[in-house]
Amino acid sequence: MTDAAAPRPVRVLLADDQPLLRTGFRMVLGVEDDLDIVGEAGDGVEAVELSRRLLPDVVLMDIRMPRMDGVAATRAIVDSRLPVRVLVLTTFELDEYVVGALRAGASGFLAKDVPAEDLVTAIRTVAAGEAVVAPRILRRLLDRFADVLPDPAAAPRRVLDPLTEREREVLTQVARGLSNAEIARELSVSETTVKTHVGHVLTKLGLRDRVQAVVLAYETGLVRPGG
């Protein structure tokens, strides 16, 4: 008899223009049995090329790189419809490029000085199809950089028409930074019910995850910066 086959490791591509940082990430991630570093890119163009050729599960994407920055590289990867998810890394938590990266289709962002265990957890989370940006952090970003968002009047709220009143209510609470458990308490329903509503919101609006749901809530004026 043989043991059941172990799950396939998460394939990770490192994209950063600083070799020393790539070495550090490789050292941190290399000790994890379920993570496999499949390549390294020194700029955005190379990150896109390697994503197409290697098809990693997750790209750790630096936001500022030569030839093509992380925002443009993320957009190129997402627009190519590759089965690749992008986790943006930035030196500053409040970075004017981060909102752009999230709108380009990134699955979240972390500061480069994040604890090693949090980075590993984030990679696993993104590989599983979830977002890793804490809603409250995203809200601070959107509040801080509200001027980069479109005028809500220019984004007709009819985009939200497919949602029921309850689903809009849930989306509003998600955009305000509440977790499923907190929304359940706020609306006096079960956490499972909230999870179901969130799933319906994402499906009806064609969104990948909660991050894009929050951005859309701001773009449509459902929630206003500072509100």
Side-chain angles (χ1 to χ4, degrees):
M1 295 178 62
T2 59
D3 294 334
R8 182 178 68 83
V10 174
R11 293 163 50 81
V12 181
L13 173 66
L14 305 178
D16 196 297
D17 63 333
Q18 299 184 49
L20 186 59
L21 282 177
R22 296 201 306 270
T23 298
F25 288 134
R26 183 178 284 276
M27 290 176 62
V28 168
L29 304 179
V31 300
E32 303 294 331
D33 292 338
D34 63 335
L35 301 181
D36 182 17
I37 308 299
V38 297
E40 298 184 18
D43 59 56
V45 171
E46 190 177 11
V48 175
E49 291 174 348
L50 289 179
S51 292
R52 289 171 174 160
R53 180 156 58 88
L54 300 176
L55 295 179
D57 299 303
V58 178
V59 179
L60 290 187
M61 183 78 75
D62 184 18
I63 202 73
R64 291 168 174 155
M65 292 185 292
R67 294 211 290 169
M68 179 185 288
D69 66 25
V71 174
T74 296
R75 184 175 294 109
I77 291 170
V78 173
D79 288 350
S80 296
R81 300 187 180 278
L82 299 173
V84 177
R85 297 178 69 85
V86 179
L87 175 57
V88 171
L89 299 175
T90 179
T91 305
F92 304 101
E93 186 175 273
L94 292 180
D95 187 316
E96 64 270 26
Y97 291 105
V98 173
V99 171
L102 295 176
R103 292 179 64 202
S107 296
F109 84 93
L110 293 174
K112 284 187 177 180
D113 60 356
V114 66
E117 60 270 22
D118 290 349
L119 176 61
V120 170
T121 297
I123 292 171
R124 292 169 178 155
T125 300
V126 168
E130 301 294 333
V132 297
V133 180
R136 287 183 179 86
I137 295 176
L138 180 58
R139 184 182 180 187
R140 289 205 307 271
L141 278 166
L142 291 169
D143 287 348
R144 172 77 176 273
F145 301 113
D147 58 324
V148 308
L149 294 173
D151 180 353
R157 292 184 61 171
R158 63 175 177 270
V159 70
L160 302 179
D161 285 352
L163 303 183
T164 65
E165 196 61 37
R166 176 62 91 181
E167 288 164 354
R168 286 193 186 212
E169 197 171 5
V170 169
L171 175 57
T172 299
Q173 300 302 328
V174 168
R176 287 174 175 162
L178 273 63
S179 66
N180 284 355
E182 292 168 332
I183 296 173
R185 289 193 294 271
E186 184 75 16
L187 302 183
S188 299
V189 297
S190 71
E191 191 170 345
T192 299
T193 297
V194 172
K195 185 175 181 180
T196 298
H197 284 315
V198 171
H200 289 165
V201 168
L202 299 182
T203 299
K204 288 182 177 181
L205 300 182
L207 304 173
R208 283 162 52 117
D209 49 43
R210 291 171 77 105
V211 172
Q212 291 193 343
V214 175
V215 172
L216 183 65
Y218 276 79
E219 288 182 330
T220 57
L222 184 64
V223 175
R224 299 296 179 88

